[in-house]
Amino acid sequence: MSQHVLPPEPMTNEAIASRLTNLAKKKIRDGLIKKKNLVYLELNGCSGNIISLLNGQNPDFEYTMNSMVNILYSNSLMASEGEQAIQRLMNALDEDYILAVEGAVALKNNGLYNIIGSWKGEPLTGLKAAKMLGEKASQILAVGACATHGGVSAAKPNLSESVGLQTILPEKKMIKLPGCPVQPDWFLGTLAHLLLYGEPETDNLGRPLMFYSTLIHDRCPRRPFFDRGIFAEKLGDKTCLFKLGCRGPVTRIDCPTRQWNGHVNWPIGANTPCIGCAQFGFPDAMAPFISYDTTRVVKNE
Amino acid sequence: MKMQNIEMLRLQLNNLVTQARYDIYTLSSTNDLSMQNQILQRLWDSISSIHFLSELLANQAMNCTQQTLQPYTNHQQISSGSASSNPMNPQSTSRMFTLEELSKYDGKNGMPAYVAVNGIVYDVTNNKAWAAATHFGLLAGKDLTKEFSSCHAGQQSILATLPVVGRLRQ
């Protein structure tokens, strides 16, 4: 792939994901690349990532699932149920597949805090499924904060002893897509890249650079307020939300230009601070999400 | 006085719009990728500034500027970015803090946010990585020498950009 196929992201709002997925569409239509199998496993989490994915536009969700990949298993979306569903999961092991995992892996009681189905009368734990499928997958995507580092599932006091996917598959290379939830473009764009060119370029934490390279702060439309020291005093104020605890200055992701729900809006556009959901360590390391008693009035200094 | 301000804002806005128009024109006629990116970045900045100035104007028009849009008068306090020149005046470095005194400067209730690293006390009140006087679960008003070395070992350049306010009494 030449350097010029993928211009850096500021070209347009939705440039990368749409460019990638349009090319993937075309190549699939022309028979130049083959559909790949996808196993989408939901472990210990809220299923927020798959719900977010239903809102995908580049391409839309239906197209992705029907034409880009061959979906072998998905807890939420498949028609099969019970052992029949798990049978499909087991069949997947015989083929080549991309594994996408959302949710954390619960370790407590040998994984019994998170059971995704039953197999031959025995409960199938998320821990067992993730290990089994992770070992054999050709590529692994950790989708969302829980899968990448434990996220909300592993927040204190972490009763289920949840961990990120990498902890139980320490040797496997995986692409990490932190976010709570993941923006559909981040997932679909990465998937399209996998089909077209193989693994995308990632940073030292495994995040695709095409989405996770720029700080929110550097593209924030309210940046001029920060630079002039004009800070919001309460939620709803239209100025810089830094003093209320905005995590934009430490969070690397493209929310300001990509936005959410079909590019309608994003947290800061809706006057709430960034809570750093695409940051490793979220949520514990990003707390408090909002502070009202901070330095906005400097009295005696 | 106020009319003059509005006239100034208008001039700035016009300049930015002219700049943006020119950028759009250049963008449409160049194929140089790196140049395109530069221009896009500048367009982005122009639009942000236009947004800022228009907000300012709208606020003036609504006559509620005094409270919300009064920029800080003390510029030193704000721009930690420009503090790379490290305003290390003799008065500030000679100031001594005990741990107890330091703990008062936790960034709460109007107090500035200070942290100590290797015996030096730094002001992080307006540092962009310290929103609401917290940084990855750490709180201001403490000696964070250990924490700093565990995450930013060898990255003295981070400290060099922070304004120094004094030293920690050992």
Side-chain angles (χ1 to χ4, degrees):
Chain A
M1 167 187 129
S2 89
Q3 281 301 313
H4 296 299
V5 174
L6 257 188
E9 44 194 358
M11 290 301 285
T12 68
N13 210 0
E14 44 195 332
I16 287 173
S18 63
R19 211 189 321 271
L20 275 172
T21 45
N22 285 337
L23 194 58
K25 264 184 185 175
K26 188 173 178 299
K27 290 208 172 178
I28 289 167
R29 206 172 47 230
D30 298 349
L32 291 173
I33 51 172
K34 271 189 64 187
K35 287 206 277 184
K36 282 207 178 176
N37 292 324
L38 175 75
V39 175
Y40 194 103
L41 208 53
E42 288 167 41
L43 303 181
N44 196 18
C46 68
S47 300
N49 295 291
I50 193 95
I51 298 299
S52 170
L53 194 58
L54 293 174
N55 217 1
Q57 290 194 316
N58 278 315
D60 66 43
F61 180 77
E62 194 190 340
Y63 181 89
T64 310
M65 292 306 153
N66 290 329
S67 306
M68 274 172 66
V69 292
N70 228 344
I71 188 142
L72 299 180
Y73 180 88
S74 156
N75 305 36
S76 292
L77 303 173
M78 66 196 302
S80 319
E81 49 184 279
E83 293 228 352
Q84 225 183 353
I86 302 299
Q87 180 65 54
R88 283 177 64 98
L89 191 60
M90 296 302 170
N91 292 347
L93 286 166
D94 302 330
E95 301 174 50
D96 184 56
Y97 59 90
I98 298 173
L99 175 68
V101 176
E102 79 164 80
V105 184
L107 297 181
K108 192 158 188 190
N109 289 2
N110 203 18
L112 278 174
Y113 274 53
N114 174 223
I115 294 169
I116 61 168
S118 71
W119 177 239
K120 295 185 175 149
E122 293 280 311
L124 176 65
T125 64
L127 173 64
K128 197 172 167 201
K131 267 195 177 154
M132 191 170 68
L133 287 145
E135 290 300 338
K136 272 215 63 212
S138 58
Q139 270 116 2
I140 305 178
L141 296 171
V143 182
C146 293
T148 56
H149 61 271
V152 175
S153 301
K156 281 174 204 157
N158 196 0
L159 296 174
S160 57
E161 288 169 16
S162 285
V163 293
L165 188 62
Q166 188 85 71
T167 313
I168 62 148
L169 297 165
E171 304 297 325
K172 295 289 280 191
K173 190 171 184 314
M174 57 182 72
I175 299 169
K176 294 184 180 137
L177 304 172
C180 190
V182 146
Q183 220 273 7
D185 284 1
W186 307 337
F187 175 72
L188 296 176
T190 306
L191 196 62
H193 198 289
L194 277 177
L195 298 179
L196 283 169
Y197 313 114
E199 303 207 346
E201 205 182 332
T202 55
D203 64 9
N204 58 352
L205 297 168
R207 302 174 293 187
L209 283 174
M210 55 186 171
F211 301 118
Y212 293 85
S213 59
T214 314
L215 287 169
I216 283 183
H217 192 61
D218 291 340
R219 296 238 187 97
C220 183
R222 299 190 183 192
R223 180 62 185 268
F225 292 98
F226 177 87
D227 291 338
R228 289 167 173 81
I230 300 169
F231 298 112
E233 298 195 0
K234 57 183 189 308
L235 293 181
D237 284 356
K238 307 273 187 203
T239 50
C240 175
L241 298 153
F242 173 76
K243 294 284 185 190
L244 299 177
C246 180
R247 303 297 165 187
V250 290
T251 307
R252 285 188 188 280
I253 191 60
D254 58 7
C255 293
T257 49
R258 188 168 303 280
Q259 310 204 346
W260 289 75
N261 297 329
H263 313 281
V264 170
N265 205 350
W266 66 302
I268 289 170
N271 298 321
T272 94
C274 164
I275 60 172
C277 79
Q279 179 66 249
F280 286 96
F282 171 86
D284 286 349
M286 294 296 127
F289 291 160
I290 181 93
S291 309
Y292 266 79
D293 56 347
T294 55
T295 57
R296 61 188 179 274
V297 197
V298 179
K299 278 177 201 148
N300 44 2
E301 287 292 306
Chain B
M1 183 62 193
K2 204 173 157 196
M3 283 314 289
Q4 264 181 351
N5 273 341
I6 291 178
E7 195 54 35
M8 276 268 278
L9 291 176
R10 200 171 127 191
L11 258 173
Q12 283 187 24
L13 274 173
N14 285 343
N15 284 342
L16 285 164
V17 169
T18 311
Q19 172 77 58
R21 283 201 180 117
Y22 178 76
D23 282 346
I24 289 169
Y25 170 75
T26 324
L27 203 56
S28 66
S29 59
T30 181
N31 289 319
D32 182 347
L33 257 184
S34 65
M35 191 151 144
Q36 282 179 355
N37 288 332
Q38 267 181 22
I39 293 170
L40 278 165
Q41 188 62 52
R42 193 165 61 202
L43 264 176
W44 180 264
D45 292 342
S46 302
I47 302 261
S48 298
S49 298
I50 290 171
H51 174 228
F52 169 75
L53 291 172
S54 65
E55 287 286 309
L56 210 65
L57 272 177
N59 268 288
Q60 288 215 352
M62 286 188 301
N63 237 344
C64 58
T65 50
Q66 277 70 15
Q67 284 295 308
T68 48
L69 278 178
Q70 198 67 258
Y72 282 59
T73 42
N74 183 354
H75 281 278
Q76 227 102 49
Q77 278 289 340
I78 300 152
S79 49
S80 56
S82 71
S84 45
S85 53
N86 218 343
M88 211 191 281
N89 55 51
Q91 184 212 346
S92 66
T93 42
S94 61
R95 187 166 160 195
M96 297 300 280
F97 289 83
T98 60
L99 269 176
E100 197 192 341
E101 272 174 286
L102 182 64
S103 69
K104 280 188 231 149
Y105 297 92
D106 59 357
K108 303 263 183 267
N109 300 312
M111 293 299 277
Y114 294 167
V115 294
V117 178
N118 298 324
I120 312 258
V121 179
Y122 299 94
D123 184 350
V124 294
T125 310
N126 292 295
N127 184 278
K128 61 187 171 72
W130 279 86
T134 59
H135 173 75
F136 288 89
L138 301 176
L139 304 175
K142 299 186 173 184
D143 184 357
L144 298 178
T145 306
K146 242 190 291 166
E147 287 82 352
F148 184 85
S149 63
S150 72
C151 284
H152 307 299
Q155 291 174 279
Q156 288 297 311
S157 55
I158 297 175
L159 297 173
T161 63
L162 296 172
V164 174
V165 283
R167 277 180 293 161
L168 192 65
R169 206 183 293 279
Q170 297 296 335

